[in-house]
């Protein structure tokens, strides 16, 4: 796998690196929410930004004064964990059969 301009180049779609995910989280925390602007800053497509936000957005629960407060935010660690899980799940397993005999009858 080659890496060029912080984008992993594979046979399929490019994915964000951990560094880019951290940058994305920083931009969102700074108040930049325009998807086109985020895509330009990270040098990826808008679709990649939308997919990454869907992948890394999580809901957290805080208990304040006996009440549950729900907050939704993007976390780079969550996006990386979900990506790693999806990549591991998408790999095909290889079956090995033990064949006996000269004819190779399994």
């Amino acid at each position: 796998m080659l890496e060029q301009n912080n984008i992993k180049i594979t046979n399929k779609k490019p994915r964000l690196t951990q560094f880019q995910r951290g940058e994305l989280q920083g931009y969102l925390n700074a108040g930049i929410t325009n998807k086109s602007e985020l895509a330009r800053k990270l040098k990826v497509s808008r679709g990649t930004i939308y997919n990454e936000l869907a992948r890394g957005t999580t809901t957290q629960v805080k208990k304040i004064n006996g009440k549950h407060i729900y907050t939704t935010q993007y976390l780079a660690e969550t996006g990386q964990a979900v990506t790693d899980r999806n990549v591991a799940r998408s790999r095909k397993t290889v079956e090995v059969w033990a064949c006996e005999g000269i004819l190779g009858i399994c």
Side-chain angles (χ1 to χ4, degrees):
M1 202 171 345
L2 301 173
E3 191 166 320
Q4 180 182 15
N5 296 333
N6 291 329
I7 299 175
K8 291 183 180 180
I9 306 298
T10 61
N11 293 340
K12 295 189 177 192
K13 299 177 184 177
R15 297 183 195 97
L16 293 179
T17 62
Q18 288 180 339
F19 181 76
Q20 286 176 313
R21 285 186 175 91
E23 281 185 318
L24 178 59
Q25 183 176 344
Y27 290 139
L28 291 170
N29 290 342
I32 301 171
T33 58
N34 186 323
K35 309 305 187 279
S36 296
E37 185 177 349
L38 291 169
R40 276 192 296 274
K41 287 180 180 279
L42 296 174
K43 298 178 183 169
V44 296
S45 70
R46 266 186 319 133
T48 301
I49 298 298
Y50 278 100
N51 291 337
E52 183 60 30
L53 290 175
R55 179 180 304 126
T57 301
T58 185
T59 302
Q60 294 184 331
V61 180
K62 296 180 183 177
K63 192 172 185 178
I64 301 174
N65 295 331
K67 294 182 181 180
H68 293 281
I69 307 295
Y70 295 90
T71 59
T72 303
Q73 65 181 9
Y74 173 81
L75 296 174
E77 297 85 15
T78 303
Q80 185 65 45
V82 171
T83 298
D84 291 343
R85 184 189 68 206
N86 290 345
V87 168
R89 192 173 43 191
S90 70
R91 295 208 174 107
K92 295 181 181 180
T93 58
V94 177
E95 293 184 22
V96 178
W97 293 22
C99 296
E100 296 180 8
I102 297 174
L103 298 176
I105 299 172
C106 298

